[in-house]
Amino acid sequence: MHKFTGLTAAALFTGCSLFVVYDYETETNQPKVVVEETESKKKPKKKTARDKDGSIDFAAITDVNEKKQAFFDYLRPGIELENSRITKERRRLETIDAHFDENDVTSEDLAYAKRLGKLYRLPVPDSGITQDWLTSMLLRVDVLPEALVLTQAANESAWGTSRFATEANNFFGQWCYTKGCGLVPLQRVEGMTHEVANFDSVQQSIHGYFMNVNRNNAYRELRDIRYKLHIDGQDLLSHQTATELTQGLLRYSERGQAYVDDLKAMIRHNQGFWLQ
């Protein structure tokens, strides 16, 4: 389950006080909207930018470039960790793929494939590993460029100042549906029961984002674009790739192409912050 803001790039840079969020069911394209207050509506906190637990009060950083650098550097280690995990998973899949071509899939290969298939919500067929399954998995199990992840995190969390980010470590707006599983949106539409998921750590939120993009049917187009770039030998971690992948996020918001254009503008505007 996921949810994404409808903030424009201009609103992000001017400190807009409302945080519009859209959600799509995993298998459908039905938008749900909730408006949430951001930190800009609250009284400034009297504390330093970095707390004792290592978290950062981004609202306390007044210099724009300093705030951006702090925000990006705060999330980068988690993004690198996810991409490192995925790289290892893909290498093992490619090894299994090679064994499959040689008709030499081992019991260990099969056990690993079943575990990975469960994680990516694409179970191995009862008959065993097939070429179609491997191809589908190789579409899902691949890295995401930091420029894309960081841009969406900035968009979704209002640069780390939203209530969801500060109180629930939720930088990407994931929803949950069990009472008490997260934060109740302050202006939740009557009759709705969702909450904004609470994460024990920022890393959990980043992991949730990666898995959402890599296995949700709504983002099949992004994965198709990435697969073609991979086959062509392009650098999947570059900000150029990040820009191309945004076109696969048309269903990320009901704003469609306008939302994608905002992401592209943010990637371009912040080009000096991306690691090469």
Side-chain angles (χ1 to χ4, degrees), residues 4-228:
F4 301 98
T5 66
L7 283 173
T8 64
L12 286 172
F13 293 118
T14 57
C16 177
S17 62
L18 289 182
F19 180 38
V20 182
V21 184
Y22 301 95
D23 178 78
Y24 291 89
E25 295 289 349
T26 301
E27 303 298 335
T28 68
N29 189 27
Q30 298 299 316
K32 298 176 181 178
V33 183
V34 60
V35 179
E36 183 58 72
E37 293 182 0
T38 66
E39 206 64 32
S40 60
K41 292 286 286 185
K42 301 178 181 179
K43 294 181 180 180
K45 297 178 180 179
K46 295 181 180 180
K47 63 179 181 179
T48 58
R50 185 175 288 275
D51 292 337
K52 292 181 179 181
D53 63 359
S55 62
I56 298 176
D57 178 10
F58 294 104
I61 305 176
T62 57
D63 181 84
V64 174
N65 286 330
E66 182 183 345
K67 177 181 289 187
K68 288 182 178 182
Q69 190 67 66
F71 181 81
F72 293 149
D73 288 347
Y74 184 62
L75 296 182
R76 275 192 171 109
I79 296 171
E80 183 178 355
L81 183 63
E82 287 300 307
N83 277 329
S84 177
R85 170 185 62 81
I86 291 170
T87 296
K88 293 176 182 178
E89 291 171 346
R90 185 178 179 87
R91 285 174 180 168
R92 183 66 186 274
L93 271 179
E94 290 173 339
T95 299
I96 295 174
D97 191 28
H99 289 172
F100 187 85
D101 291 340
E102 299 167 0
N103 196 27
D104 188 27
V105 175
T106 67
S107 58
E108 290 183 356
D109 289 337
L110 180 58
Y112 183 84
K114 287 182 176 181
R115 290 196 300 272
L116 202 62
K118 183 177 181 180
L119 176 63
Y120 282 86
R121 294 179 182 167
L122 192 67
V124 173
D126 293 338
S127 59
I129 298 173
T130 65
Q131 190 61 64
D132 285 344
W133 181 85
L134 284 167
T135 299
S136 295
M137 283 294 288
L138 288 172
L139 278 166
R140 297 189 178 203
V141 185
D142 216 337
V143 296
L144 293 169
E146 65 158 30
L148 179 66
V149 184
L150 291 174
T151 294
Q152 292 205 273
N155 190 307
E156 299 302 327
S157 71
W159 294 92
T161 65
S162 73
R163 173 180 169 234
F164 301 150
T166 59
E167 297 183 18
N169 287 317
N170 195 326
F171 283 76
F172 300 94
Q174 294 98 321
W175 283 13
C176 57
Y177 288 89
T178 302
K179 187 175 181 179
C181 63
L183 303 179
V184 176
L186 299 183
Q187 299 184 39
R188 185 173 63 185
V189 177
E190 185 177 356
M192 300 290 285
T193 61
H194 69 277
E195 298 181 13
V196 178
N198 182 67
F199 292 98
D200 292 335
S201 67
V202 175
Q203 187 61 46
Q204 281 190 357
S205 181
I206 295 173
H207 175 73
Y209 166 84
F210 267 76
M211 299 311 297
N212 182 39
V213 172
N214 276 338
R215 66 190 181 189
N216 194 306
N217 286 341
Y219 311 123
R220 173 62 186 264
E221 185 177 357
L222 179 146
R223 298 193 292 270
D224 287 341
I225 295 171
R226 181 179 61 187
Y227 186 74
K228 292 177 182 177

Side-chain angles (χ1 to χ4, degrees), residues 145 226 229 234-246:
R226 181 179 61 187
L229 292 173
Q234 300 299 312
D235 181 3
L236 295 186
L237 298 179
S238 71
H239 69 271
Q240 291 90 348
T241 292
T243 299
E244 293 191 52
L245 292 182
T246 60

